Amino acid sequence: MEFSMQENGFSTETEYGTLQACGDEKYGFRPYQLLVSSIAVCSGGVLRKIMEKRRQTVHDMNITADVTRSSEGANEVQKIHLHFTINADNINETKMQKNMELTRKHCAMVQSVKGSIEVTESFELTS
């Protein structure tokens, strides 16, 4: 990826369009939003694949990310809690716990921040 400086932030071209990033939300995504989005969406995608492989048909999934940032220094992201709300077939609490363990293990973004950002998960099954 290549990023070009703009008047307010940076941009990059992707096959889906231009991505604008800036420390000010008025001009693009804030870097911490992109970081959190990467972790949440990677986890969701991995979870969906795992569930499909285990013959658990996913009808709907929603992910809520709660972020804790330091109030001192660089205001770094310290913790991300992901809450998954899932509507699926052939699922129960025990199977879902196993799915979450496998997701954490196989999500590249969660593994990339391991040891520097605490990532926790919870889930709710709906029908």
Side-chain angles (χ1 to χ4, degrees):
M1 296 178 80
E2 183 177 336
F3 296 87
S4 300
M5 186 174 75
Q6 306 296 310
E7 183 176 341
N8 296 299
F10 290 83
S11 69
T12 187
E13 293 296 326
T14 72
E15 64 183 282
Y16 303 105
T18 302
L19 173 67
Q20 300 284 343
C22 181
D24 185 340
E25 274 183 50
K26 292 188 287 188
Y27 304 106
F29 293 101
R30 295 182 63 196
Y32 93 91
Q33 291 171 321
L34 295 169
L35 174 69
V36 174
S37 297
S38 295
I39 292 168
V41 172
C42 178
S43 294
V46 169
L47 176 59
R48 184 177 186 173
K49 285 181 184 176
I50 287 168
M51 291 179 75
E52 288 171 354
K53 284 182 181 180
R54 298 181 80 201
R55 294 187 171 91
Q56 300 161 354
T57 305
V58 179
H59 299 292
D60 193 28
M61 181 185 305
N62 186 53
I63 307 167
T64 303
D66 292 319
V67 182
T68 303
R69 298 180 72 181
S70 171
S71 60
E72 300 175 7
N75 200 22
E76 70 272 8
V77 174
Q78 296 177 318
K79 181 177 180 177
I80 300 170
H81 178 76
L82 303 174
H83 181 75
F84 296 82
T85 304
I86 300 165
N87 180 338
D89 295 335
N90 192 26
I91 191 72
N92 60 37
E93 298 280 327
T94 302
K95 289 178 182 179
M96 196 62 210
Q97 283 290 357
K98 180 64 175 175
N99 292 344
M100 297 308 298
E101 291 171 20
L102 292 168
T103 296
R104 190 176 313 112
K105 180 180 177 182
H106 294 288
C107 174
M109 296 297 99
V110 170
Q111 291 302 310
S112 294
V113 300
K114 189 176 180 178
S116 60
I117 297 174
E118 180 184 355
V119 179
T120 58
E121 303 90 2
S122 60
F123 64 88
E124 173 184 352
L125 299 174
T126 63
S127 50

